[in-house]
Amino acid sequence: MDSTRQKKVNRLLEKEISQIFIQEARVLTLGTMVSVSKVRISPDLGMAKVYLSIFPSKNAANVIEEIKTKGGLVRKALGMKAGKQLRVIPDLQFFLDDSLDYLENIDRLLKE
């Protein structure tokens, strides 16, 4: 169960990281559309898991690896944006959110 503080930080990080991906899209996303679907922060606010939806999903593995290698740039930009609101900028871990692919697969199976 997340505390109220964790929920507020989750929303803040989701909003700010989304803005970073919009502004730095060419450098980070290899020409694909990336959206932040969910952010989960640890209870000590030191680690954040960022779940990303990538479209088109055929080269999602390459894009997520590129984002992981440039995660320091994302964290630095996050520090510039949210540094006044957070005491410590959390370490970021990026994960692929494949829930949309899963839903499409279920729809396809139900139509058969």
Side-chain angles (χ1 to χ4, degrees):
M1 189 78 182
D2 289 343
S3 68
T4 304
R5 177 73 176 152
Q6 282 177 292
K7 290 177 185 176
K8 287 180 182 180
V9 172
N10 285 338
R11 285 192 301 268
L12 173 70
L13 292 177
E14 186 174 336
K15 183 183 109 186
E16 296 298 339
I17 293 172
S18 296
Q19 289 297 318
I20 291 168
F21 280 123
I22 289 171
Q23 293 169 352
E24 305 291 332
R26 292 183 188 199
V27 176
L28 295 172
T29 63
L30 303 174
T32 60
M33 186 174 74
V34 175
S35 64
V36 178
S37 56
K38 183 174 26 171
V39 175
R40 305 285 296 178
I41 192 139
S42 64
D44 66 350
L45 306 179
M47 178 67 66
K49 294 181 180 179
V50 181
Y51 295 90
L52 304 173
S53 294
I54 299 172
F55 184 80
S57 61
K58 63 183 178 188
N59 49 344
N62 295 336
V63 174
I64 200 78
E65 287 304 316
E66 184 70 20
I67 291 171
K68 284 180 181 180
T69 59
K70 295 185 179 177
L73 295 175
V74 176
R75 186 171 186 250
K76 181 179 178 184
L78 181 63
M80 299 297 281
K81 288 178 162 281
K84 302 284 185 194
Q85 298 168 2
L86 296 173
R87 180 178 294 182
V88 176
I89 302 301
D91 290 329
L92 303 175
Q93 292 181 337
F94 296 99
F95 297 97
L96 181 62
D97 183 18
D98 57 354
S99 59
L100 292 177
D101 295 334
Y102 181 71
L103 289 175
E104 286 177 6
N105 188 27
I106 290 176
D107 283 343
R108 184 184 54 80
L109 291 173
L110 289 174
K111 289 180 182 179
E112 292 178 352

